[in-house]
Amino acid sequence: MSFVPPGSGWPGDPAGPGTPVARDAHEVAKLAAESRTLADLTARQSVCRACPRLVEWREEVADVRRRAFADETYWGRPIAGWGDDAPHTLIVGLAPAAHGGNRTGRIFTGDRSGDWLFASLHRTGLALKETSVHAGDGQRLIGARMMAAVRCAPPANKPTPEERDTCFPWLAAELALVAGTTRVVVALGGFAWQAVWPALRAAGFTLPSRRPAFGHAVEVPLVHGAAPVTLIGCYHPSQQNTFTGRVTAEMLDAVFARAASLGATA
């Protein structure tokens, strides 16, 4: 089996055998717009088959597997948003990794980037544990929620503009469902910074007329209703960035400590 069937017992699987499946961009937009709860939305996110290239790639990876994980079952499906249902802090990334989230069933889980990220979230009070290895491992986000601009692992970690646009309604709908409590949005990397901007606007946030350039610890004031919201840029804790020292643990901690502080005082 090249993916875990919905409702077959995978820990935290939000979908079931009867969850409606989007098979093209039009159906993504329709199902996202019709989702009235996070439970409905995440279930539909997790079974999407709208992008043929991404479906083929994620399932091929799940079939072939990396040698280190040859005996494991891969999730092989899109990665739904995960975390607190009423978060003060949102963490938005690019897409799951082929042998990370695509294997473990949880965003930023099971790879080196996730190791750095969750360790920082734990140190700053946003995660229960310092590690995240698999769905069902007891990890829990505290006042935070994670989501991605693209829900499937893309070849070479590079989704196409069309794939990004097809996935856009999933992101915008999730942002809208948690907007009432959100006070901080952390964008991990330049792609996420660009993708989250129009999604925030579509979700009802008021943004400045011009989008500032992405940078680490750059802050942009937003508004939702009468509530202030802060968008913060953060360099992605990729292996390239951590190996070269472009991102350090102290840099990550500073961003997430700031997010936790803003969220706690909102």
Side-chain angles (χ1 to χ4, degrees):
M1 178 65 69
S2 56
F3 63 92
V4 173
S8 58
W10 187 278
D13 187 349
T19 300
V21 178
R23 299 186 182 278
D24 57 35
H26 173 75
E27 291 183 354
V28 170
K30 180 177 183 292
L31 291 177
E34 292 175 350
S35 299
R36 297 291 178 256
T37 67
L38 281 172
D40 284 344
L41 181 69
T42 55
R44 294 168 179 186
Q45 290 171 346
S46 76
V47 295
C48 183
R49 301 184 68 82
C51 299
R53 187 183 78 115
L54 297 187
V55 171
E56 181 180 7
W57 173 249
R58 78 190 190 210
E59 294 181 4
E60 178 184 342
V61 169
D63 269 338
V64 176
R65 299 187 292 277
R66 180 172 284 174
R67 181 178 299 177
F69 310 121
D71 295 331
E72 294 189 24
T73 297
Y74 274 52
W75 171 251
R77 284 166 44 196
I79 307 299
W82 174 76
D84 200 317
D85 285 353
H88 57 69
T89 297
L90 303 181
I91 302 161
V92 183
L94 165 59
H99 301 281
N102 190 56
R103 172 175 62 89
T104 64
R106 182 193 289 161
I107 190 71
F108 294 118
T109 295
D111 57 26
R112 295 289 180 85
S113 296
D115 292 344
W116 277 73
L117 179 60
F118 276 96
S120 181
L121 294 174
H122 176 67
R123 289 190 296 266
T124 55
L126 295 172
L128 182 64
K129 298 164 41 174
E130 64 181 359
T131 60
S132 181
V133 296
H134 206 280
D137 63 1
Q139 178 62 282
R140 180 169 61 86
L141 294 178
I142 302 169
R145 186 174 185 85
M146 292 181 171
M147 55 191 75
V150 175
R151 304 294 167 139
C152 297
N157 291 322
K158 293 181 179 180
T160 67
E162 180 181 4
E163 290 161 351
R164 175 202 61 201
D165 293 345
T166 297
C167 214
F168 176 87
W170 294 135
L171 178 60
E174 191 164 1
L175 289 170
L177 286 170
V178 298
T181 60
T182 296
R183 298 298 176 263
V184 187
V185 181
V186 178
L188 287 177
F191 187 102
W193 179 268
Q194 294 177 16
V196 79
W197 192 267
L200 286 166
R201 191 182 303 280
F205 291 78
T206 301
L207 282 61
S209 58
R210 297 183 63 184
R211 182 177 64 207
F214 170 74
H216 188 78
V218 168
E219 296 189 11
V220 181
L222 316 176
V223 177
H224 186 271
V229 180
T230 304
L231 173 63
I232 306 177
C234 181
Y235 288 155
H236 194 288
S238 64
Q239 285 186 284
Q240 181 179 2
N241 283 345
T242 56
F243 283 174
T244 61
R246 188 173 190 232
V247 172
T248 65
E250 292 76 16
M251 290 169 66
L252 290 178
D253 288 359
V255 165
F256 290 114
R258 172 66 171 159
S261 176
L262 289 169
T265 58

